[in-house]
């Protein structure tokens, strides 16, 4: 196994997890910066052509995990791997952000749902969608329907 | 930083990276198994309701990285973080797979693009798409157009 290393840090106004929108219908429209370390900046070449990026990062303030959890989107317990909750065997978070602009090593993005100073592990281009008519969203769709 | 640990292994017929479809128009329709270790199986509760999963895994046979790379989808170099290539500062792979069925700790899926015995780090539900009219795919779209 590899040893994780940050390639950069998130800069945003979320200093406390309670301030990040969660639950059914949560909107992630927050803007912020992905500040990539100078050692890795060459890897950003041509990134301006992409509208959306996949960001992998660490839940660096989470410890341990439970395999059955009650997420903020429901009042019933579900398997951890059907949720995006922070406390995981490998505490890796995933966000899809919209790339608004680039200033050197710094990417301005919309869709931040991480805390300020979160270590970034990787960036990948967002390339394609699953056709919506083929997508089933399990208990989350049921929770939305119950909420009506 | 955390210490990565496998939560399971991929089981499939790809034993050699050269046999995995790559490049423009590559189809990932290969079926295989995500075998989750018994210690983590409770985390799969309710997963059958989801049609698609995000799988995070390790490029465990990749070493080192270059920040400018020429991917199989183009004949020009691009920044590593605009590609899905294996040799990365944190060698984490991401695949979207279709969940076909579950037998205990074993998930049968379509869309395998990993090698047999690849360690799995995490599973997350695939929940939503970026509207296609908002998606720009940078140099990849240009390479497709040139190939036209």
């Amino acid at each position: 196994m590899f040893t994780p290393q940050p390639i950069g840090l998130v800069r945003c106004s979320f200093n406390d997890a309670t301030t990040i929108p969660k639950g059914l219908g949560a909107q992630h429209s927050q803007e912020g910066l992905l500040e990539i370390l100078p050692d890795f900046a060459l890897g950003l070449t041509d990134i301006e052509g992409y509208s959306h990026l996949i960001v992998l990062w660490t839940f660096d303030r989470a410890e341990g995990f439970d395999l059955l959890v009650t997420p903020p989107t429901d009042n019933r317990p579900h398997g951890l791997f059907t949720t995006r909750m922070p406390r995981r065997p490998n505490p890796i978070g995933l966000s899809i952000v919209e790339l608004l602009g680039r200033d050197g090593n710094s990417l301005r993005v919309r869709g931040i749902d991480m805390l300020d100073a979160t270590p970034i592990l990787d960036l990948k281009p967002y390339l394609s969608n699953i056709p919506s008519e083929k997508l089933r969203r399990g208990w989350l769709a049921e929770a939305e329907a119950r909420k009506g």
Side-chain angles (χ1 to χ4, degrees), chain A:
Chain A
M1 279 284 177
F2 64 100
T3 302
Q5 58 176 317
I7 63 161
L9 292 179
V10 175
R11 290 297 174 194
C12 67
S13 62
F14 291 136
N15 287 300
D16 177 339
T18 62
T19 62
I20 302 178
K22 291 183 193 65
L24 294 176
Q27 298 290 318
H28 294 293
S29 57
Q30 187 75 19
E31 295 185 16
L33 300 176
L34 308 180
E35 292 193 342
I36 304 304
L37 297 170
D39 281 355
F40 300 104
L42 187 63
L44 300 176
T45 304
D46 295 340
I47 207 162
E48 300 89 337
Y50 289 83
S51 61
H52 293 78
L53 303 174
I54 299 172
V55 187
L56 300 181
W57 44 276
T58 60
F59 289 106
D60 63 321
R61 279 150 274 190
E63 283 186 25
F65 62 90
D66 297 306
L67 292 168
L68 270 187
V69 294
T70 300
T73 37
D74 203 355
N75 53 12
R76 304 177 183 191
H78 300 287
L80 176 64
F81 301 123
T82 72
T83 80
R84 302 286 188 99
M85 293 187 78
R87 298 176 57 247
R88 316 181 75 82
N90 295 288
I92 305 174
L94 181 155
S95 302
I96 313 288
V97 298
E98 182 180 359
L99 179 57
L100 301 175
R102 174 179 172 186
D103 181 13
N105 305 347
S106 181
L107 303 178
R108 191 163 55 87
V109 300
R110 181 185 292 130
I112 291 282
D113 59 355
M114 314 81 141
L115 290 169
D116 185 50
T118 289
I120 300 169
L121 293 175
D122 203 3
L123 301 176
K124 299 180 191 290
Y126 186 105
L127 296 178
S128 63
N129 288 324
I130 301 298
S132 57
E133 69 275 14
K134 293 192 176 172
L135 199 58
R136 285 184 299 114
R137 299 182 308 133
W139 64 258
L140 182 60
E142 292 167 19
E144 287 172 352
R146 278 201 307 278
K147 196 187 176 202

